[in-house]
C-alpha cells in the first residue's frame, strides 16, 4: 500500500499531481454562456464591476466572496486565489477554470467568467448558491430525511452523469463541495482536483482530494482497483456523503470523534464499508450498498444508479 505523506483533519488534501500541459483530446463544446455577447460572460463583466460583500468560505484553494454587480445588482460568488499563493493552489484554480468554462449542466455550478490580474490574482466568477453547502445545511438544519436524500442523490447523479459522460472525474465529492440554492437545487462545485480523462485508459492519479471520502482503490489500487479508471471513486464518495447527511456524522467514525489519519485509512481499506441502520428503508440501504462496494468493479455506475428504485420511485 502506498504511503500518504500530508495530512489535515477531514479536509485533508494530498499532493496535487502535475497539471498536464496537454489540452484534452476531446475538448468539450463551450457552453452558450461563454459567448462574448452574453450578459454573464467574462467579456461583459469586469472585476471592477463587482463589489465584495462578504466571505462565503475559505478553502484550500483560496477565498470565496459573495459579490454584487454594481450596475445590475445581481449576486455572484467569486473565488479568488492571490498572486503570492503556492504553485499547487494556482494550478488547482487553473484546473478548475478549465473545467468550469467547459461545463454546462443544471447540476454543475455555472461559471460566469474568469479574471487574471497583472498582480497574479486569479478569480472565478460563479453563480451564487444562496443556501450554502450540504455541510452547512446539515449543521443548521440537522440530518436529512430519506425523501430529501433521494432528491439530493438524483441531482448529484445527474451532475456526475454529465461529468463522467464528458470524461471528467470530480475526485472530491463531499458535503462541502455540493452547493444548494433556495430552489433546493444541488450543484457540484470545487473542481480543483478534478481530472479530464484524455484517453479511455488514462490512469487516474490516486492521491488527490479529501482523503476521508476517498475510495479504497485510491489507497490500494492493487487490492480494490480491478480495471480501475477512476470514475467509481466519485460513486464511493457520493455514498459516504449521503450516509453522513442521514446519520449526522462522518460514517467511518463514531459521533464526535476527531478523525485520526491512520484510523481512517485503516477503516477505509481494511474495515467493512459503513451501512445504514435497520430502520432505514430497504431501497435506501440497497442504494448505499451499491455505492459502497469496496471493490471498484462491483460498485454501480452512475447510469445504473440512476435506475435504482431509491432515486426512481415517485417522490413521497
Ligand atoms: P476546500 O479546499 O475546503 O474544498 P476550496 O478552496 O476548494 O475549498 P470551494 O470548495 O470551491 O473552495 O469553496 C469553499 C467554500 O466557499 C464552499 O465550501 C462554500 O461554503 C463557499 N462557496 C463556494 N462556491 C460558492 C458558490 N458558488 N455559492 C455560494 N457559496 C460558495
Ligand atoms: Mg471545497
Amino acid at each position: 500500500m502506498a504511503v500518504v505523506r500530508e495530512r489535515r483533519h477531514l479536509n485533508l488534501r494530498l499532493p496535487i499531481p502535475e497539471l498536464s500541459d496537454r489540452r484534452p483530446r476531446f475538448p468539450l463544446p463551450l457552453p452558450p454562456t461563454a459567448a462574448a455577447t452574453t450578459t454573464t460572460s467574462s467579456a461583459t463583466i469586469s472585476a471592477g464591476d463587482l463589489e465584495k460583500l462578504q466571505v462565503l468560505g475559505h478553502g484550500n484553494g483560496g477565498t470565496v466572496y459573495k459579490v454584487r454587480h454594481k450596475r445590475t445588482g445581481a449576486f455572484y460568488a467569486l473565488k479568488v486565489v492571490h498572486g503570492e499563493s503556492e504553485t499547487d493552489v494556482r494550478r488547482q484554480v487553473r484546473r478548475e477554470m478549465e473545467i468550469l468554462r467547459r461545463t454546462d449542466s443544471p447540476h454543475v455550478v455555472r461559471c460566469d467568467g474568469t479574471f487574471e490580474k497583472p498582480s497574479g490574482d486569479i478569480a472565478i466568477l460563479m453563480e451564487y448558491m444562496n443556501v450554502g453547502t450540504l455541510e452547512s445545511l446539515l449543521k443548521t438544519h440537522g440530518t436529512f430525511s430519506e425523501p430529501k436524500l433521494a432528491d439530493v442523490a438524483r441531482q448529484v447523479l445527474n451532475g456526475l452523469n454529465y461529468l463522467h459522460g464528458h470524461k471528467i472525474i470530480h475526485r472530491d465529492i463531499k458535503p462541502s463541495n455540493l452547493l444548494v440554492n433556495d430552489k433546493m437545487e444541488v450543484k457540484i462545485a470545487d473542481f480543483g482536483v478534478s481530472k479530464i480523462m484524455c484517453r479511455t485508459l488514462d490512469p487516474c492519479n490516486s492521491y488527490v482530494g479529501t482523503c476521508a471520502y476517498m475510495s479504497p482503490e485510491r489507497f490500494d489500487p492493487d487490492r480494490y482497483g480491478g480495471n480501475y479508471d477512476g470514475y467509481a471513486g466519485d460513486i464511493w464518495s457520493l455514498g459516504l456523503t449521503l450516509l453522513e447527511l442521514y446519520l449526522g456524522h462522518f460514517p467511518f467514525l463514531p459521533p464526535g470523534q476527531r478523525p485520526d489519519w491512520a484510523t481512517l485509512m485503516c477503516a477505509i481499506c481494511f474495515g467493512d464499508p459503513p451501512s445504514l441502520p435497520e430502520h432505514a428503508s430497504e431501497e435506501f440501504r440497497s442504494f448505499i450498498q451499491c455505492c459502497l462496494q469496496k471493490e471498484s468493479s462491483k460498485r454501480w455506475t452512475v447510469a445504473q444508479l440512476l435506475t435504482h428504485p431509491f432515486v426512481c420511485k415517485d417522490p413521497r
Side-chain angles (χ1 to χ4, degrees):
M1 182 187 303
V3 177
V4 180
R5 282 157 286 155
E6 285 179 26
R7 51 180 123 139
R8 141 163 103 86
H9 192 47
L10 272 186
N11 255 338
L12 190 147
R13 283 205 185 259
L14 296 153
I16 310 302
E18 289 297 304
L19 179 66
S20 167
D21 290 334
R22 283 174 301 160
R23 303 289 299 172
R25 264 209 202 155
F26 309 108
L28 311 178
L30 287 173
T33 50
T37 49
T38 60
T39 49
T40 53
S41 79
S42 51
T44 53
I45 302 178
S46 70
D49 292 331
L50 303 169
E51 174 190 8
K52 277 185 192 158
L53 299 178
Q54 68 187 78
V55 172
L56 292 170
H58 289 289
N60 204 36
T63 306
V64 182
Y65 299 90
K66 178 179 177 181
V67 297
R68 179 170 44 210
H69 192 288
K70 291 175 190 162
R71 221 166 350 99
T72 66
F75 295 116
Y76 297 89
L78 186 71
K79 184 169 186 171
V80 181
V81 166
H82 294 291
E84 63 276 11
S85 305
E86 289 168 27
T87 321
D88 274 354
V89 172
R90 298 173 64 73
R91 199 178 283 148
Q92 271 191 31
V93 80
R94 283 188 197 286
R95 183 196 302 259
E96 182 161 24
M97 270 177 169
E98 187 182 352
I99 291 176
L100 279 183
R101 283 204 304 229
R102 288 155 184 271
T103 47
D104 182 19
S105 158
H107 306 290
V108 174
V109 72
R110 192 187 65 241
C111 173
D112 288 320
T114 54
F115 308 110
E116 285 204 59
K117 286 194 183 164
S119 63
D121 288 4
I122 310 174
I124 304 178
L125 189 66
M126 291 171 279
E127 68 179 300
Y128 170 53
M129 297 293 284
N130 60 354
V131 169
T133 66
L134 289 179
E135 183 191 42
S136 62
L137 258 188
L138 179 64
K139 282 187 186 140
T140 54
H141 288 72
T143 51
F144 288 54
S145 66
E146 281 197 33
K148 279 210 178 97
L149 285 176
D151 188 41
V152 168
R154 205 176 300 117
Q155 297 193 57
V156 179
L157 282 173
N158 277 308
L160 287 178
N161 196 32
Y162 174 86
L163 294 173
H164 291 185
H166 287 86
K167 298 188 185 297
I168 296 169
I169 304 175
H170 186 277
R171 300 201 290 188
D172 205 10
I173 295 290
K174 58 178 179 177
S176 67
N177 285 339
L178 298 170
L179 301 175
V180 188
N181 64 20
D182 54 12
K183 291 185 242 162
M184 257 321 272
E185 288 174 334
V186 178
K187 305 198 184 196
I188 301 174
D190 194 355
F191 288 79
V193 296
S194 303
K195 183 168 174 79
I196 303 174
M197 303 295 278
C198 298
R199 295 183 302 272
T200 322
L201 295 175
D202 204 357
C204 181
N205 189 301
S206 304
Y207 300 109
V208 294
T210 309
C211 80
Y213 298 85
M214 265 165 47
S215 53
E217 72 274 14
R218 290 181 63 189
F219 293 101
D220 193 350
D222 292 341
R223 184 159 175 186
Y224 299 114
N227 293 324
Y228 178 53
D229 59 10
Y231 295 101
D234 283 345
I235 301 299
W236 173 275
S237 311
L238 170 63
L240 274 191
T241 296
L242 296 172
L243 201 47
E244 178 170 347
L245 297 172
Y246 184 81
L247 299 173
H249 62 89
F250 181 66
F252 274 111
L253 298 169
Q257 185 177 316
R258 283 188 68 74
D260 159 70
W261 164 246
T263 318
L264 204 53
M265 193 172 71
C266 285
I268 295 170
C269 290
F270 305 120
D272 288 333
S275 56
L276 280 162
E278 284 193 357
H279 57 76
S281 73
E282 208 175 299
E283 290 98 343
F284 189 24
R285 281 191 288 148
S286 154
F287 184 89
I288 292 294
Q289 243 180 28
C290 296
C291 294
L292 294 184
Q293 288 296 316
K294 285 183 75 174
E295 228 174 88
S296 61
S297 57
K298 292 194 182 146
R299 223 169 286 148
W300 283 31
T301 63
V302 173
Q304 289 171 325
L305 287 170
L306 278 167
T307 68
H308 191 284
F310 179 60
V311 291
C312 279
K313 71 177 177 196
D314 289 338
R316 281 150 282 182

